[in-house]
Amino acid sequence: GGIYIGVETDITANGDLQITGVGGYGNEKLDGISIVDSNIRSKGDIALWGTSGYGKFVNDSYGLYLNKTDVTAENIYFTGLASDQNKNSKSELLDGIHLNNSRVIANGSFDVFGQTGTSQNMKNSAGFYVNGSLLKAGSMALVGIPGDYFFSDRLGLNQMDLT
């Protein structure tokens, strides 16, 4: 995968925090960003942008994967894209964003855009998948779409521009 933040990692930023990751080539576990059993905090904004890897028969690969992770900030922006390089394969578990047993708390806004991968026979995949998690914010925009239907530029989501 692209970026892996492992067990019991604490990341704290006094300003904005942006993490971008892209998975590689292979068959599975090609997450763009994978964060497990960790804490990520910022006094500013947090933006996580992940794109999964690609291959002929890809399974169990997510753009952005969080498991048992707490994310806290003023505003939080998640973008997760499962690879669109798998059109001819029989793939599954290609969620754009996959949140499991995690907590996301934003004082302001929490914006999510997730897109599945594209495959002729894809199954068990969601643009935005959430299970056993707490999502809390002043306002939320949660968007999940299937692959080959990319229209994020027309959504008008308040995506953070960090330089």
Side-chain angles (χ1 to χ4, degrees), residues 4-118:
Y4 174 77
I5 298 172
V7 176
E8 297 183 17
T9 299
D10 286 312
I11 297 174
T12 301
N14 287 324
D16 295 337
L17 173 65
Q18 181 172 336
I19 300 174
T20 303
V22 178
Y25 180 83
N27 294 327
E28 65 181 2
K29 307 281 189 216
L30 304 172
D31 303 335
I33 299 172
S34 179
I35 305 173
V36 178
D37 195 20
S38 296
N39 295 301
I40 301 185
R41 295 178 211 87
S42 171
K43 291 181 181 175
D45 297 343
I46 293 177
L48 303 180
W49 179 287
T51 302
S52 73
Y54 64 98
K56 189 169 183 178
F57 299 103
V58 177
N59 292 306
D60 197 13
S61 296
Y62 309 110
L64 174 59
Y65 174 82
L66 282 90
N67 186 31
K68 298 180 183 173
T69 294
D70 290 349
V71 180
T72 306
E74 185 61 33
N75 299 295
I76 300 172
Y77 307 93
F78 287 175
T79 302
L81 308 173
S83 175
D84 237 8
Q85 302 286 329
N86 309 308
K87 292 181 181 177
N88 296 319
S89 73
K90 297 178 180 177
S91 302
E92 65 180 313
L93 297 175
L94 299 179
D95 299 340
I97 299 171
H98 186 100
L99 297 180
N100 190 54
N101 296 317
S102 295
R103 293 173 4 127
V104 179
I105 300 172
N107 293 326
S109 65
F110 176 42
D111 292 350
V112 170
F113 178 80
Q115 178 182 340
T116 66
T118 300

Side-chain angles (χ1 to χ4, degrees), residues 101-145:
N101 296 317
S102 295
R103 293 173 4 127
V104 179
I105 300 172
N107 293 326
S109 65
F110 176 42
D111 292 350
V112 170
F113 178 80
Q115 178 182 340
T116 66
T118 300
S119 172
Q120 290 178 349
N121 299 304
M122 185 173 55
K123 59 184 177 178
N124 299 325
S125 299
F128 177 47
Y129 172 89
V130 61
N131 179 60
S133 298
L134 170 69
L135 308 179
K136 184 177 178 182
S139 64
M140 288 188 211
L142 308 176
V143 177
I145 63 171

